Amino acid sequence: MDFLTGETLYIDKPLGWTSFDVVKRVRGMLTRRYALKKMKVGHAGTLDPLATGVMIVVTGRSTKLIETLQQGVKEYVATIALGATTPSFDLETEIDATYPTAHITREKVEEVLSRFTGRIEQVPPQYSACKIDGRRAYDMARKGKVADLAPKVLVIDTLELLDFSPESITVRVVCSKGTYIRALARDIGSALESGGHLTALRRTRVGDAAIADCLTPDQLTEFLRIVPIERPADEALVPEKLKNCNFTLL
């Protein structure tokens, strides 16, 4: 493989890792393989530390494809706790209010989910990477400040109920770029008059990349350790220090 010219990797991000942790793992192993101090590595779509699943990582000239790759349809499986809210709409923050759930039925949930299918407007979470006057909303939220976030138009193609109880639901979401599943949990809980927050999230697809195509961190480490690496066809991409080297397995 020619990582200097550009390659694409599909990775199953584990719980607790940031998106940057994944990029750092790939960059660290490749710079050691090529004996370089740095090289271009990026990702096509952030996942929160509390989420798992598909991440697309690109290297070299393939980093120019990031914007295109980000446009791909996303698929998630999300578990939403009903009857309680948190400021971040997930488990990053503590519960700040509780509500009754006895009135919630499967039929009511199905009806509410249908309201969020199609073209909708969604206000991003306060704990998000949206920028306000150059500042990240999550930085402001962690300091107790409220950002004025405008609603964004997005499309939800599918919102399927997979599992139901009055206290928790699991849904499959197929949606466009820019959808905050945490905000969707907030809005579904509000529509059910019970409050809601995300307790688990797994991204199962980004465009053509499915979870079955992804490498776990251990598989990634082994793959990058043994995969043959090639000299770029374009000599301009070869660092001067590598021009007289033969690339071999480590």
Side-chain angles (χ1 to χ4, degrees):
M1 299 187 77
D2 183 354
F3 293 99
L4 287 175
T5 299
E7 297 286 356
T8 301
L9 297 166
Y10 300 155
I11 298 167
D12 184 355
K13 188 189 84 66
L15 186 68
W17 285 39
T18 66
S19 299
F20 178 73
D21 288 335
V22 178
V23 170
K24 184 178 178 182
R25 170 69 68 90
V26 174
R27 182 186 290 122
M29 293 202 68
L30 289 178
T31 52
R32 287 193 292 273
R33 286 292 312 265
Y34 283 102
L36 296 173
K37 289 185 177 180
K38 62 181 180 179
M39 67 182 298
K40 286 185 178 180
V41 181
H43 67 80
T46 300
L47 269 180
D48 291 338
L50 295 179
T52 66
V54 179
M55 273 196 65
I56 301 177
V57 174
V58 288
T59 73
R61 283 183 174 173
S62 292
T63 55
K64 296 179 180 179
L65 301 175
I66 285 177
E67 186 172 348
T68 299
L69 292 170
Q70 286 177 332
Q71 302 302 320
V73 170
K74 314 293 193 303
E75 181 180 77
Y76 299 88
V77 174
T79 300
I80 302 169
L82 304 175
T85 57
T86 72
S88 59
F89 314 139
D90 65 6
L91 296 177
E92 181 181 343
T93 53
E94 298 293 327
I95 289 173
D96 59 1
T98 58
Y99 304 86
T101 60
H103 64 286
I104 299 175
T105 63
R106 176 180 286 271
E107 292 71 25
K108 177 65 174 175
V109 171
E110 296 274 15
E111 187 276 322
V112 164
L113 294 183
S114 69
R115 301 182 204 170
F116 293 95
T117 303
R119 188 179 177 89
I120 67 169
E121 287 191 347
Q122 182 186 79
V123 177
Q126 291 291 319
Y127 286 77
S128 70
C130 293
K131 283 189 175 182
I132 305 295
D133 297 327
R135 301 175 63 190
R136 297 289 186 185
Y138 59 70
D139 286 333
M140 299 174 65
R142 287 164 184 161
K143 294 177 181 177
K145 298 179 180 179
V146 178
D148 184 15
L149 299 173
K152 295 185 177 183
V153 176
L154 51 90
V155 176
I156 296 182
D157 297 308
T158 302
L159 190 49
E160 177 188 3
L161 182 62
L162 300 179
D163 194 31
F164 165 80
S165 78
E167 296 80 27
S168 177
I169 60 173
T170 300
V171 295
R172 183 175 73 93
V173 187
V174 180
C175 57
S176 64
K177 173 191 175 184
T179 304
Y180 283 95
I181 307 300
R182 287 180 290 128
L184 187 61
R186 169 202 65 196
D187 295 340
I188 290 171
S190 177
L192 287 168
E193 300 178 321
S194 71
H197 63 281
L198 198 63
T199 57
L201 181 64
R202 184 156 178 77
R203 187 157 69 189
T204 52
R205 181 164 62 92
V206 178
D208 294 331
I211 196 68
D213 304 318
C214 294
L215 298 171
T216 67
D218 287 344
Q219 291 169 335
L220 172 68
T221 297
E222 183 64 11
F223 174 75
L224 293 181
R225 186 182 70 83
I226 67 172
V227 65
I229 54 178
E230 302 174 3
R231 179 188 300 274
D234 184 350
E235 283 291 317
L237 292 174
V238 183
E240 193 63 35
K241 67 183 290 185
L242 296 183
K243 294 236 173 142
N244 297 317
C245 295
N246 292 317
F247 296 121
T248 58
L249 293 178
L250 295 181

